[in-house]
Amino acid sequence: MTASRTVGRGGLPEVWGEKIPPRNKNFTGREGLLERLRSGITSDVTAVVPHALHGMGGVGKTQVAVEYAWRYQSEYDVVWWISADQALLVPAALAALAPRLGLPPAKAVGIDDTAAAVLHALRRGEPYERWLLIFDNADRPEDINQLIPRGPGHVLITSRNQEWRSVVETVPVDVFTQGESIQFLHKRVSNNLREADAQRLADELGHLPLALEQAGALQAEAGMSVDEYLQQLAKHMPDTLQMPKPLDYPRSMTAAWRLSVSQLEQQLAEAVELLRCCAFFGPEPIPVDVFRWGVSDAVGPGLQQLLDRPLLRSKAIRVIGRYALAKLDPETRTLQVHRLIQALLRADLSEEEHHRYRKVVHLLLASAVLGDPDDEANWLRYAELVQHIVPAEVAATRDPKVREFALKMVRYLYMSGQHQTSRAFVESFLEQWIKDSGPHDEHVIVAQSQLGLVLRELGDYSKAYETDRSALERSRQVFGPEHERSLFISQGFGADLRALGDFDRAREHDEDVLRGHEAAFPVDHLELLSAKNNLALDYALISRYERARTVHEEVFTVSSRKLDVSKVAHLSFWGNLARVVRLCGDYEEASDLGEDAHAFGVQELDVEHWVTLRTAKDRSIALRRTGRVDDALELAQDVYERYKRLYGASHPDTLAAAMNLTNNMRSTGRINSAFELALDTMNRYPQAYGQDHPYNHGCAGNLALLHRVRGDVESARKLNEQCLRALDSRLSRDHHYSLTVAINLASDLTALGELDTALSLSEDTLERSRRLLGETHPLALGCAANLSVVLRRRGADEQAEELQSRTIAQYERVRGHDHPDTVVATEGRQLDFDFDPPPI
């Protein structure tokens, strides 16, 4: 269904889901069922309850839902169809609705977060209150209930599972009534069909709509009379006694299916081979292009001939459709076989044949030309096949080519933001592959590295570390330490170390990794650039900012000249450079770099792409450092609200945005609001990074600063002392984070009148700051200005005056005479310093 209309009731734009199946031209009867459904859905506008069409397979639940959507389309602004038989894939279907709701597309923030944003918008009724979501073939309520929005719109579910009765309102769907069966057959076969013949045929097939559809198609296609059809049906009935009967279905249904297959085989034997292959895909649409690629002689001569001959293949697909054994959609070029027919096809095959057809399906999937999973342009092709991975039991393969395909699918899921689905897939692969091939199999090792990547993205840093550590150890044993696979995994392990707060070890590790990359790759290879970028991140995390700046500048310069560097990677390199320029103390240059990088991200990616948001957050910090606090606050507020809406309040990037916002609030006098947000954020940090991560202590230092600004100096002093002890233990005193807290602690002591202790701490901190960062770094200048205040309060006026004059002169030369830090130092007040956690 396409969006043919542009304006609906009240001037609202009308939005239609493009995945809604076409209307069945043979749909008939069911009027009473549709009326009951409509009455139930609209009966209580104050408490809209989801409704489920419940009944056994083949009774037409999906067709009733399709008819409902078409019949009442004018009453909705949004109608969206979701294939729900695999709960893991439902978030992707929800995320596809985002642009229609004015939300950023999944490519900006990932599918999982986009799906959450869609659900939130539907629950609020913004921008539309009149929406209809249809979840087709939803199996277990516990797997999908949390993905069903409760709001002002309507939800319709189709399912065979009776357990939905305890969750939503259910509307039972049974087989046709006698009158409906006769009406259907007249429409499907011929109006000239005698009512008595139609009744005999319907009674024999148990009035099951799917069976009647097949019977009608066979009679229309073969010109078979009702008497002849019933005779042929009787001949096939004894054969059904040897087959396992699907629960609750009459034997006549199985016989009707066997009769259709028998007639199909007489007309085109290769079509039956193709149909049997389809039985081992999922019940969702199968792209017909998947049958374009020959796989091997092992598939059997009949099927191989069909795969090798496009005209024969097209004919087979058309004939299968005419016999109603599958639904062919020429618009999407897909073939779909009902799950009941799939089950019957499989039941008619031996175990050996099961193995052969499943292997063929695996090879067909693996032979599909999908392209690089990192390239967004290829994601649609991956999305068409991902729904067949679980039903086709791809995890059970031992074929190297199929395993490579499976790993590419995991990578696609990760890159497209389907992180939970990616994790579920790769964990299922690992479980089976380790059992089949052992832990040292090359595909097991690669799968482990993919799992580590996903776990880190999900914030499970400790588990990511253990997974990558194990994968790296095995990779070095199997491939060697300098192999490309080992080098790739080693980059992820360095990120794990950063995430755990082990910055020195991360730097040592990444220096070794870089040496390996330099030996393996050309100077402008993306993997080498990534390794250099990672090492620069390490240098910044241990306060070696100038060295980090040199490396980041080299990486950004090279990436700017390369055509094969993605926009995401380029912006990431750009943003990292802008950040380290700020950390070096060059605020104006960092602000200019950040402005250009942010504009690039908004234009080339999306305003809410995760790299664009990180760039915007860092730009806000740079604006604050330059003294443009109002602009910084506006941008910080915008970035934080976007992060919170898209990722939730406890995501690491949201926490960093929250810290930036609290620092901006404090700088603009919104002290109480800043304190409340800082307190909430500090309490969330251990959930993301663990109790003793340096970021936790740095953010606690921000809260301590707010304690003092609010007048509670003693609380500030106690918290800062606690933070400083922890940072000294994790990072040493000669670190930017530790020195920031030490400066603020000295200000606490000064305010409390403990001048001797404040003087000793200030002198030590100034010496360390100059040695670590340089005499004109903002932190060293601020420490010097604060020390002059302590000296003056202790009566050392001459020494204080000399230090203050020299410091102000440096401030004016570096920052300018009207910079807020210069003004505070000139007025003889103490400067405050805060912490902004960088990404890992």
Side-chain angles (χ1 to χ4, degrees):
M1 183 178 295
T2 57
S4 59
R5 300 158 298 148
T6 56
V7 179
R9 244 176 359 193
L12 291 174
E14 293 181 341
V15 182
W16 276 86
E18 296 170 346
K19 295 182 180 180
I20 296 179
R23 201 173 192 175
N24 187 346
K25 63 181 180 180
N26 293 318
F27 186 90
T28 188
R30 305 289 195 179
E31 294 301 324
L33 176 60
L34 283 167
E35 289 176 10
R36 290 199 307 276
L37 179 61
R38 180 63 181 162
S39 175
I41 286 179
T42 61
S43 61
D44 189 352
V45 295
T46 62
V48 180
V49 178
H51 281 64
L53 291 167
H54 167 260
M56 65 180 180
V59 295
K61 301 181 295 297
T62 295
Q63 290 304 322
V64 172
V66 169
E67 181 67 19
Y68 181 91
W70 279 96
R71 188 170 295 194
Y72 300 109
Q73 57 182 289
S74 63
E75 299 183 18
Y76 296 102
D77 299 308
V78 179
V79 179
W80 201 248
W81 188 276
I82 296 170
S83 297
D85 58 318
Q86 294 183 65
L88 281 172
L89 303 180
V90 170
L94 285 167
L97 179 56
R100 279 87 169 171
L101 301 181
L103 298 170
K107 67 179 182 179
V109 297
I111 282 179
D112 292 341
D113 295 306
T114 303
V118 165
L119 289 173
H120 186 54
L122 293 173
R123 289 168 185 142
R124 294 196 318 268
E126 297 175 0
Y128 307 113
E129 291 187 348
R130 299 180 301 118
W131 47 260
L132 171 65
L133 262 63
I134 301 173
F135 292 82
D136 188 37
N137 282 312
D139 188 14
R140 303 196 315 167
E142 60 268 29
D143 290 342
I144 202 175
N145 194 33
Q146 73 277 11
L147 296 173
I148 295 176
R150 271 69 169 180
H154 297 159
V155 172
L156 182 57
I157 301 160
T158 72
S159 180
R160 292 167 294 169
N161 193 335
Q162 297 183 14
E163 292 179 7
W164 280 107
R165 294 175 180 174
S166 61
V167 180
V168 300
E169 293 291 330
T170 56
V171 178
V173 182
D174 206 345
V175 297
F176 278 153
T177 64
Q178 189 174 83
E180 288 172 336
S181 294
I182 293 172
Q183 186 181 3
F184 175 85
L185 287 171
H186 279 152
K187 194 170 185 179
R188 184 67 179 85
V189 182
S190 169
N191 284 327
N192 296 324
L193 181 67
R194 292 190 308 162
E195 186 167 324
D197 287 339
Q199 183 173 330
R200 282 194 301 144
L201 185 59
D203 287 343
E204 188 63 33
L205 294 174
H207 298 274
L208 186 69
L210 181 62
L212 293 173
E213 173 72 21
Q214 285 189 29
L218 183 58
Q219 290 176 75
E221 181 68 18
M224 190 181 292
S225 69
V226 172
D227 286 337
E228 184 181 359
Y229 182 89
L230 292 176
Q231 289 172 5
Q232 293 293 325
L233 191 69
K235 288 182 181 180
H236 284 278
M237 195 72 75
D239 295 337
T240 66
L241 298 175
Q242 308 302 318
M243 295 179 61
K245 182 173 77 77
L247 188 65
D248 296 332
Y249 290 100
R251 291 284 177 190
S252 55
M253 170 64 213
T254 306
W257 160 78
R258 288 183 69 99
L259 175 55
S260 294
V261 172
S262 174
Q263 292 294 317
L264 176 65
E265 191 165 23
Q266 290 180 30
Q267 181 169 347
L268 190 64
E270 293 87 351
V272 177
E273 284 286 289
L274 183 65
L275 187 62
R276 286 171 178 158
C277 267
C278 291
F280 292 89
F281 283 90
E284 301 304 321
I286 306 165
V288 295
D289 282 348
V290 83
F291 298 108
R292 288 176 55 193
W293 315 105
V295 288
S296 72
D297 293 337
V299 303
L303 183 58
Q304 189 64 53
Q305 185 181 32
L306 185 141
L307 296 175
D308 290 340
R309 296 172 58 187
L311 294 179
L312 180 61
R313 183 174 62 248
S314 297
K315 180 180 180 182
I317 291 172
R318 289 196 305 272
V319 172
I320 289 172
R322 289 202 299 267
Y323 275 78
L325 289 166
K327 181 170 60 178
L328 177 63
D329 188 337
E331 196 170 306
T332 61
R333 301 190 70 247
T334 57
L335 189 68
Q336 187 173 13
V337 182
H338 193 282
R339 64 190 67 244
L340 176 56
I341 294 176
Q342 286 182 313
L344 290 167
L345 283 162
R346 292 193 298 267
D348 200 35
L349 298 173
S350 67
E351 185 175 339
E352 181 181 346
E353 288 173 317
H354 271 236
H355 177 75
R356 181 169 71 87
Y357 282 109
R358 186 168 282 115
K359 181 179 179 181
V360 170
V361 169
H362 291 172
L363 292 172
L364 288 170
L365 289 170
S367 299
V369 179
L370 298 177
D372 184 359
D374 287 19
D375 188 345
E376 178 194 323
N378 299 323
W379 289 355
L380 181 59
R381 288 197 289 271
Y382 278 91
E384 289 177 332
L385 297 185
V386 70
Q387 55 203 350
H388 298 288
I389 300 298
V390 173
E393 300 181 16
V394 168
T397 186
R398 298 192 186 197
D399 188 295
K401 183 179 179 181
V402 182
R403 285 187 174 182
E404 290 291 340
F405 161 77
L407 290 169
K408 288 174 69 175
M409 192 61 69
V410 170
R411 180 69 178 178
Y412 148 71
L413 291 167
Y414 169 79
M415 291 302 297
S416 63
Q418 301 180 69
H419 299 131
Q420 293 290 358
T421 307
S422 180
R423 176 179 182 174
F425 272 38
V426 74
E427 285 180 337
S428 71
F429 297 157
L430 276 169
E431 181 182 2
Q432 187 64 47
W433 294 355
I434 290 173
K435 190 183 304 180
D436 292 340
S437 307
H440 290 86
D441 175 79
E442 62 175 313
H443 297 106
V444 168
I445 293 170
V446 176
Q448 273 193 310
S449 71
Q450 294 278 14
L451 177 59
L453 194 65
V454 174
L455 290 170
R456 190 166 56 252
E457 188 65 36
L458 291 171
D460 195 344
Y461 295 134
S462 59
K463 191 166 184 179
Y465 169 84
E466 291 299 332
T467 301
D468 280 334
R469 183 190 59 76
S470 173
L472 182 57
E473 180 181 317
R474 290 171 180 167
S475 182
R476 286 172 171 170
Q477 291 175 9
V478 174
F479 305 116
E482 306 305 323
H483 191 277
E484 289 185 12
R485 292 194 191 276
S486 300
L487 293 174
F488 175 80
I489 299 171
S490 65
Q491 285 198 40
F493 187 63
D496 295 330
L497 292 170
R498 290 193 293 274
L500 294 177
D502 203 342
F503 300 153
D504 275 316
R505 190 177 165 206
R507 188 260 310 163
E508 293 172 358
H509 170 83
D510 285 338
E511 285 177 341
D512 290 337
V513 170
L514 179 57
R515 283 190 286 271
H517 278 72
E518 287 174 333
F521 298 103
V523 293
D524 63 346
H525 195 282
L526 182 57
E527 287 300 318
L528 178 55
L529 294 178
S530 296
K532 288 182 176 180
N533 175 75
N534 293 339
L535 182 57
L537 294 176
D538 298 330
Y539 286 146
L541 288 171
I542 59 173
S543 305
R544 294 165 67 176
Y545 297 136
E546 291 296 342
R547 189 164 186 179
R549 177 175 181 166
T550 299
V551 180
H552 275 311
E553 191 165 358
E554 176 192 349
V555 170
F556 175 65
T557 301
V558 174
S559 75
S560 300
R561 295 196 298 260
K562 282 177 62 63
L563 297 177
D564 61 341
V565 174
S566 70
K567 294 173 183 177
V568 172
H570 181 60
L571 181 57
S572 181
F573 295 153
W574 198 345
N576 290 342
L577 176 60
R579 184 186 314 112
V580 79
V581 167
R582 168 175 55 79
L583 291 170
C584 287
D586 297 330
Y587 297 152
E588 290 292 345
E589 184 179 355
S591 180
D592 291 341
L593 271 171
E595 183 176 5
D596 290 343
H598 185 216
F600 175 87
V602 171
Q603 180 178 353
E604 299 294 336
L605 297 174
D606 187 89
V607 68
E608 291 186 337
H609 190 281
W610 64 272
V611 184
T612 307
L613 285 173
R614 281 186 180 177
T615 307
K617 187 261 296 179
D618 280 323
R619 181 188 169 206
S620 170
I621 300 170
L623 287 169
R624 185 173 84 246
R625 300 294 193 208
T626 63
R628 294 156 64 185
V629 292
D630 290 334
D631 291 340
L633 176 63
E634 181 180 358
L635 183 56
Q637 184 76 53
D638 178 70
V639 170
Y640 172 67
E641 293 299 334
R642 292 180 188 274
Y643 265 128
K644 189 175 179 181
R645 172 170 53 83
L646 296 169
Y647 293 91
S650 297
H651 189 277
D653 282 341
T654 308
L655 297 176
M659 272 293 113
N660 174 43
L661 180 56
T662 64
N663 292 333
N664 275 286
M665 287 175 170
R666 192 198 73 253
S667 300
T668 52
R670 297 171 57 187
I671 307 303
N672 290 332
S673 296
F675 182 84
E676 291 174 4
L677 181 57
L679 181 61
D680 176 74
T681 305
M682 190 192 75
N683 290 332
R684 293 178 186 274
Y685 253 98
Q687 303 172 28
Y689 290 101
Q691 289 291 338
D692 198 33
H693 196 284
Y695 288 4
N696 298 341
H697 307 307
C699 293
N702 287 349
L703 184 65
L705 172 57
L706 285 162
H707 272 303
R708 174 158 50 81
V709 173
R710 296 174 82 225
D712 189 356
V713 183
E714 187 57 44
S715 293
R717 178 246 188 98
K718 289 180 179 177
L719 186 52
N720 269 327
E721 287 177 338
Q722 177 184 331
C723 294
L724 189 56
R725 283 194 299 271
L727 288 170
D728 283 350
S729 175
R730 285 302 303 265
L731 304 176
S732 86
R733 182 62 62 90
D734 292 316
H735 192 285
H736 192 170
Y737 303 172
S738 306
L739 295 172
T740 297
V741 174
I743 292 173
N744 289 337
L745 176 57
S747 296
D748 299 338
L749 295 168
T750 303
L752 291 169
E754 299 183 25
L755 300 180
D756 290 342
T757 309
L759 177 62
S760 175
L761 179 58
S762 295
E763 289 175 336
D764 177 73
T765 304
L766 178 58
E767 180 184 350
R768 293 175 185 274
S769 298
R770 286 173 170 172
R771 186 170 63 244
L772 180 69
L773 303 171
E775 188 170 340
T776 59
H777 190 278
L779 192 77
L781 289 176
C783 187
N786 286 3
L787 176 57
S788 71
V789 175
V790 179
L791 288 169
R792 183 168 282 108
R793 290 194 58 178
R794 289 186 79 251
D797 292 343
E798 184 176 342
Q799 188 179 357
E801 181 63 31
E802 190 275 332
L803 179 58
Q804 183 186 29
S805 297
R806 186 169 71 249
T807 302
I808 291 171
Q810 291 174 316
Y811 261 127
E812 290 178 341
R813 185 172 66 254
V814 176
R815 300 269 80 86
H817 72 278
D818 59 347
H819 189 279
D821 291 353
T822 308
V823 173
V824 171
T826 302
E827 294 175 353
R829 295 183 285 122
Q830 289 184 306
L831 288 104
D832 298 324
F833 290 87
D834 50 38
F835 167 73
D836 284 288
I840 59 160

